[in-house]
Every structure is written in C-alpha cells, then in structure tokens.
Amino acid sequence: MTAKRTKRASIKDLAREVGVSPTLVSFVLNGKQKQYRVSDQVADRIREVAKRMDYKPNGFAKSLREGTSKTIGVIVSDIANPFFANIVKKIETVAEEKGYMALFASSDENSDKLSNLLGRMLCKEVEGVIVVPCEGSEDTIRSLVDRRIPTVLLDRHIPDIRTNYVSLDNRKAGYDATEELIRKGHRKISMICYDMKLSNMKGRIEGYRDAMKDYGLSDEIKIQYVNIGALEKSGAKAIDKIIAEGSKAVVCATNSITVMCLRYIQKLKLNVPEDITVMGFDGGSEFDFYNAPISFMTQPTETIAKKSVDILISQLQENEGFITQIEIEGAITNHTPPNY
C-alpha cells in the first residue's frame, strides 16, 4: 500500500488559518512586519501557525521571483583529499546558513576538466564560483574575471590576475616549518615538493629557502621535485637521494607527499625521528597509522572556507566589484600516535 503524500502547507493555508490575507502573511514571513505596520499580535499569530503547520518557504519559487538561483559552484583539485574534504564540508555548512546551495566537483589538477566543469556549472546558472586553480587554468580564470562572474580563488591564486582569493600565507608557512626543524638542531634539511608552478608551492619553497639562508645554511638547500601523477615512484627516488645526501630532516610540501614519505621510510625500515625527522603539511588522523611522532603545518580550514563563502556572497548581494585578497597564518602541530 502506497503512503499518501502529505501536502506541504502554503502561504494561502496559513492565511486561511489565521484569517488574514496571503499578502499579509508574506510580509510577516519575509521580515517586513514593521514596514507594512502589521501589529505584533497578528505577526505572532502568523509565526505560531507557521511553526505548527511546519511551513517551509518554496525556495525555487522565491528564486524565480528574485531572479536568482541561490546556488554557488565549488571546484577543488581533489575532493577525496582530507584537506579539501574538510574545506568542502565547511563551505557547504556556511553557504547553507546564508541560504545558498553549493555544487561541488573535482578538477583532478586537469585544466581542461576544470574549464569544462565551470562551463557546465554556469549553464546550471550558479551565481558565482569558488575555485582551486590548477596549472594551465590561467585563461579559464581570466575569462571568469573578464565576464564579471563573481569568483573567489581558494588555496592558490594567480598573481597576474586581479581577483579575490583566500589562502594560507604559504611563504611564512614554509619558513616556519623549516625554522622549527632548525630550532630542533637540524642543519641538513631537504624539501620535497611537486614539480608545479602553483602559488602555494612556490610560496612554500621560497619560505624554505629564506629560512635556510637566514640561519646560514644556504649550502644545505636541497629541493627534490616529485611528479603528482607518479608520486610513489618519483617520491621513492626523491627520498633515496635525500638519504644518500645525508639529510636528517625533510619538509614535505603537501599532505599527500607527507603520507608518501612516511610510507616509504617505513618500507626502508627506518625510524622517525631517530633516522630522519619529517615535517609535513595538513596532517591528521591518518598519521596514526605510522608509529612515529611528526610535526606538520596546520591550515585553518574552517577560516579559509568561511572567508571564501563570505567574500563570494558579499559580492553577490552587494553587486560590487571590490577585490579581497586574504592570506591566513598557519600553525605547527606536533602529532604523537597513541602507541608511541
């Protein structure tokens, strides 16, 4: 037997119950009570009936009336990455609190896919976008700006394009991560990073270099570049070279590189930190699988996500072309697994 579908209460239903016009109900529910001089007694009665009848506004109809979709698009590089997964969840929460729905997708660091996803999202009439740019996406991002589509870049930015962005202060993060190792007594410190020219990667490398120079360790600067498409293979070669060169500590520029590094060091039957100290980025509970204490640079994902949504929705609601560029400071976290 099929259950009968319950009819959703409408403004007309509420008006009939209270004994007033639908227009008056609409004024109260849309916060225009004082503007149209509706008495407190009537307004309270309308709200009480709306609550009792479980009235929910028809968002689709409202968006048609207002000429807006109340939808934003969000494209990250890899939604399965814990760092981006945390940001996506917070973006969804903040957007919902502000009355917006978010559509999510992953570019997989592929500029053609990013361009295609943006085109499809815009066809679905998203009002604005939050985008993690990838290598080769400059023309796509420039097109968004030229077309005056409200845009906020997340995690990375493109220096030659003047647009909104929210990211970690990557140079300072790279500097602080390296300085922490130096303060622990290390002098032979290497860095492993992706062979990419993205702003976040460049900033972290600059920070590493600057810290080494400031502490008189210019001769010890050693950077190994790995391939994001063949991380395990290129990462193993990088670590082999670091060990052969006598490095006793390594700064891993991303979470995925950190996990790869820990996995390969474990395979070599080396101990962290006795044989080599690891400084990571964006760590978390996955480090519990490696019985070793490590430090990592933590990004304030909630703040980054909230500010991204705030900037985008402010542009949508105020319809102004202001530019907001924010770099947020990270913090070093010391992680010790439960059984260490």
Side-chain angles (χ1 to χ4, degrees):
M1 184 175 177
T2 305
K4 185 177 179 181
R5 186 176 178 181
T6 304
K7 182 177 179 292
R8 188 161 100 173
S10 68
I11 282 183
K12 287 184 179 180
D13 295 329
L14 268 62
R16 192 179 303 113
E17 181 73 12
V18 178
V20 296
S21 70
T23 302
L24 195 64
V25 173
S26 179
F27 287 159
V28 172
L29 297 182
N30 284 291
K32 298 179 180 179
Q33 171 191 343
K34 292 183 178 179
Q35 182 179 345
Y36 289 95
R37 299 179 181 178
V38 182
S39 71
D40 290 342
Q41 183 179 2
V42 172
D44 289 344
R45 172 66 176 152
I46 290 171
R47 284 189 282 266
E48 184 272 322
V49 170
K51 183 177 180 180
R52 175 165 53 81
M53 296 180 70
D54 194 27
Y55 170 76
K56 291 181 175 60
N58 188 326
F60 180 69
K62 184 178 180 183
S63 69
L64 287 177
R65 290 195 303 272
E66 296 178 351
T68 63
S69 67
K70 291 292 184 180
T71 305
I72 62 173
V74 182
I75 302 178
V76 298
S77 58
D78 180 8
I79 207 166
N81 184 311
F83 169 68
F84 288 117
N86 289 335
I87 284 186
V88 159
K89 182 61 180 174
K90 185 60 180 178
I91 286 176
E92 181 181 41
T93 301
V94 176
E96 190 176 86
E97 289 171 354
K98 293 178 178 290
Y100 283 78
M101 182 179 75
L103 300 179
F104 298 98
S106 298
S107 71
D108 299 322
E109 299 288 2
N110 184 304
S111 59
D112 290 335
K113 183 176 180 180
L114 175 62
S115 178
N116 181 262
L117 287 169
L118 280 169
R120 291 164 65 185
M121 282 187 171
L122 293 172
C123 284
K124 292 182 180 295
E125 297 186 353
V126 299
E127 295 184 51
V129 292
I130 296 174
V131 184
V132 176
C134 57
E135 275 200 315
S137 65
E138 292 85 354
D139 289 344
T140 298
I141 303 303
R142 188 174 286 108
S143 174
L144 291 174
V145 175
D146 291 344
R147 293 158 63 191
R148 297 190 177 183
I149 294 169
T151 302
V152 179
L153 301 186
L154 177 71
D155 185 52
R156 313 160 182 173
H157 66 279
I158 302 174
D160 295 337
I161 301 177
R162 187 172 179 270
T163 190
N164 307 290
Y165 71 79
V166 181
S167 75
L168 179 72
D169 185 339
N170 285 290
R171 185 208 160 274
K172 189 174 190 309
Y175 190 102
D176 290 348
T178 308
E179 185 178 50
E180 177 73 4
L181 292 174
I182 294 171
R183 286 176 174 170
K184 289 180 177 179
H186 291 287
R187 292 295 178 266
K188 293 183 176 295
I189 304 168
S190 295
M191 184 178 203
I192 302 178
C193 56
Y194 284 127
D195 188 12
M196 307 170 86
K197 296 179 181 178
L198 298 169
S199 62
N200 59 341
M201 205 60 51
K202 290 172 70 175
R204 294 172 193 183
I205 293 169
E206 288 172 5
Y208 162 76
R209 288 184 181 276
D210 289 346
M212 295 292 280
K213 290 176 182 177
D214 287 351
Y215 282 87
L217 301 172
S218 297
D219 293 341
E220 299 296 339
I221 294 175
K222 294 180 177 65
I223 302 173
Q224 298 298 321
Y225 296 93
V226 294
N227 186 336
I228 192 170
L231 179 56
E232 298 299 323
K233 185 177 180 179
S234 60
K237 289 182 179 178
I239 296 167
D240 286 341
K241 188 170 183 180
I242 284 172
I243 293 171
E245 291 174 341
S247 290
K248 295 298 181 181
V250 58
V251 177
C252 300
T254 71
N255 180 64
S256 54
I257 292 175
T258 307
V259 172
M260 175 279 301
C261 187
L262 289 170
R263 187 160 50 236
Y264 189 68
I265 289 172
Q266 190 178 63
K267 183 178 179 181
L268 294 175
K269 300 188 183 307
L270 297 176
N271 295 315
V272 176
E274 291 82 3
D275 297 313
I276 186 167
T277 299
V278 176
M279 170 66 72
F281 264 79
D282 310 320
S285 59
E286 64 267 31
F287 291 163
D288 286 343
F289 292 102
Y290 305 94
N291 195 31
I294 73 165
S295 299
F296 55 88
M297 179 60 64
T298 303
Q299 298 197 52
T301 52
E302 287 199 8
T303 302
I304 291 172
K306 185 177 186 308
K307 288 190 177 295
S308 299
V309 177
D310 287 346
I311 293 169
L312 183 62
I313 292 180
S314 291
Q315 285 207 329
L316 294 175
Q317 294 179 345
E318 297 175 22
N319 197 27
E320 294 182 6
F322 58 84
I323 299 295
T324 303
Q325 299 176 338
I326 300 175
E327 294 187 355
I328 302 170
E329 188 172 335
I332 291 175
T333 299
N334 296 307
H335 180 84
T336 302
N339 298 323
Y340 194 83

